[in-house]
Amino acid sequence: MTLKKIVKGLFLIGMVLISAEISRAQDFNPPFPRIGQITFYPAGAGPTIWKNHNMVIIRHYYPDDAKRIKEKNPDVILLAANDALEGNIIKNITGKPLPDEWYIHYADGSKVPFWGGYMTNLSNECPVANYIYGPQRFNQFLAKFLIENTDWNYFDGSLFDTWFQRLKWFVKNLDNVDLDGDGKPDGASIAEERWEKGKKTLVENMRALSPKPILAFESGETYLNGNGFEFWTQETVASRAWNMQKALDLLKNAVSPQMNYANSEAKGYGAVFRADFTSAQIVGAFFGHDEGTYAHRWTFLHDEYEAKLGYPTDPPQTLEENLWIRYYDTGVIISNISGQTKTVSASQLHGGPYWRFQGQQDPVFNNGKKFDTVTLQPIDGIMLFKQPVTLITPIVIDNVPKNMTSLGQNPVDYQGTWTQQDRNNITTDNPAYALFYGWGDFASPYAFSSPGNGENIAHYNPVLSVSGYYEILEWHGWHGKYPNDYQEASNVPYRILINNAPVHSGTIDQTKNYGKWNSLGIYYISKGAKIDVSLTNKANGIVISDAIEFVYKGSKQNQDTTPPAAPRNVKINP
């Protein structure tokens, strides 16, 4: 083979690799709105709940959940969250405690506490210790440990849940910290400098083993691929403005592919949620909404998530200070984080006319009308479209108020004797409709009843703000820890009433079709109609009351407009 052919072959291989990398990078640039979610616990029904999300963040030590999420949503950006800077987490995986040398110490030899454990030492001055892979510093070990203990068949990148951007925010008496283990205090400024260099070395060590993107919560360093804004919801105008500017800076200066995640802990779906959502979209962040930083247990879903905006047509702009606007292929988003009431009129926008979308959750604000003017609250936002559109996220009535009853809806109304399942009596692979089977009032994944004569009734009563056709679907897992623990009923009676008139009834076989939506039919339901879908225990086994879903299908029934095929081999009698 000639040198020319060898060079040509290497060039072609290089072009293939570059093309593959470009193609892969395009996966990190989905259309808007960009929706994400983080959870730190077993996913449960998460793969179904997040099936249309653009980004999901789960713990790296849940590979089975990662597989299920990717199977349901192959295009999702799936990040592997780790809390490995808390040393006890690594011990739980390896079964061996970390060497004492790998923790941060004070000059007197005591370890620096954090969250019931101790802070690990990422600095390049950390003493060498022999652990798992041989003698090395902690930032050498951790890079290899995270890469080897993350299933890259499913995960697309890493996110550090704990990052410790500045030691002074977490370490008392920083002047007395001893990072190099010589028994002498480093001093606060030297400790901070060593800490920052050590974190950068950790990232370099990881990238030497894998090219996958790396993010961190509350970081901001441009040698990462982006930041997780765990506190996107802020009390002050200055903090909100800082978040937006930091997100824009990272999209420009961080390592490619750049991406940010913005987590909202707003209450409900009102003005604060709208401000969080719209500001995140304007700066290109993936947006998620849950109970907040305390646990990240539950997901809140919104009508806005059903939108299809396409891509931005220009950069973010301001109509005035802290009143942001950005245009997209099919609409425009305005976000007011000024702390003052602002009025925006159609004459201030270009590319119109625009319409508010017709929504279920806030039908007064999102009323479907042609846009003329809006008065935004001091912290608020609005999403407008070039064409009239109805956006209704599936409405779920579940057995408890959260996890996963929809915002603005009431949970199941139980009559008779029903038992809310204790999370300790099931396993996390029970396919009930819930996320983490955690603690507190909303931990029960489903309710159940013993068989009887119909005296126990579960009523599902959604409130619908938009008239149209809705598909009604039922979900159940199995009862107990394993599928064969108990005999579920094969003939659970259900009945559907609209304005007290029966429209359909039948039975559900709960011995099969676990962990999926089972259709009970499509029905026209008028705005404000009284709806009652009920289950009873007049059955031949345990009756499970889990979730019922109402999926908006449009204002008109789908009609088959495809003409029939031309007849063949037909003889026409004279």
Side-chain angles (χ1 to χ4, degrees), residues 370-423:
K370 188 175 181 179
F371 178 70
D372 178 26
T373 185
V374 63
T375 298
L376 297 173
Q377 297 182 44
I379 300 295
D380 203 348
I382 191 169
M383 180 168 58
L384 303 171
F385 294 87
K386 294 180 179 179
Q387 299 290 333
V389 62
T390 299
L391 304 177
I392 300 177
T393 200
I395 300 156
V396 173
I397 307 298
D398 210 347
N399 59 298
V400 288
K402 298 179 183 177
N403 201 16
M404 285 292 302
T405 296
S406 295
L407 290 168
Q409 302 290 338
N410 292 318
V412 182
D413 178 16
Y414 290 109
Q415 295 182 9
T417 303
W418 293 83
T419 302
Q420 295 285 356
Q421 178 63 288
D422 189 318
R423 70 181 180 93

Side-chain angles (χ1 to χ4, degrees), residues 239-373:
S239 295
R240 284 182 174 272
W242 188 93
N243 273 351
M244 290 188 71
Q245 191 57 57
K246 173 58 68 174
L248 290 173
D249 290 344
L250 288 171
L251 284 184
K252 180 180 179 181
N253 299 314
V255 173
S256 180
Q258 301 96 343
M259 66 192 88
N260 295 306
Y261 173 74
N263 196 82
S264 170
E265 52 186 357
K267 307 300 181 185
Y269 47 70
V272 174
F273 157 75
R274 292 195 297 265
D276 288 352
F277 171 78
T278 54
S279 59
Q281 299 309 312
I282 284 174
V283 298
F286 295 81
F287 174 84
H289 184 197
D290 59 25
E291 62 180 323
T293 58
Y294 172 63
H296 298 296
R297 288 176 292 182
W298 306 310
T299 294
F300 299 132
L301 304 178
H302 295 269
D303 291 341
E304 285 83 351
Y305 291 7
E306 305 298 314
K308 297 184 185 302
L309 284 171
Y311 288 91
T313 57
D314 55 12
Q317 307 167 42
T318 54
L319 295 174
E320 54 184 272
E321 186 177 10
N322 289 322
L323 180 60
W324 290 80
I325 186 170
R326 195 170 194 183
Y327 293 90
Y328 301 81
D329 290 330
T330 66
V332 60
I333 285 179
I334 304 167
S335 189
N336 178 28
I337 62 165
S338 69
Q340 301 175 18
T341 300
K342 298 292 182 180
T343 298
V344 180
S345 65
S347 62
Q348 294 175 265
L349 311 181
H350 65 73
Y354 292 99
W355 280 260
R356 300 187 188 212
F357 70 88
Q358 177 68 65
Q360 153 70 28
Q361 292 173 334
D362 195 348
V364 175
F365 188 85
N366 299 314
N367 55 28
K369 295 181 179 180
K370 188 175 181 179
F371 178 70
D372 178 26
T373 185

Side-chain angles (χ1 to χ4, degrees), residues 21 103 152 233 250 293 451:
E21 181 61 27
Y103 290 100
W152 299 111
T233 305
L250 288 171
T293 58

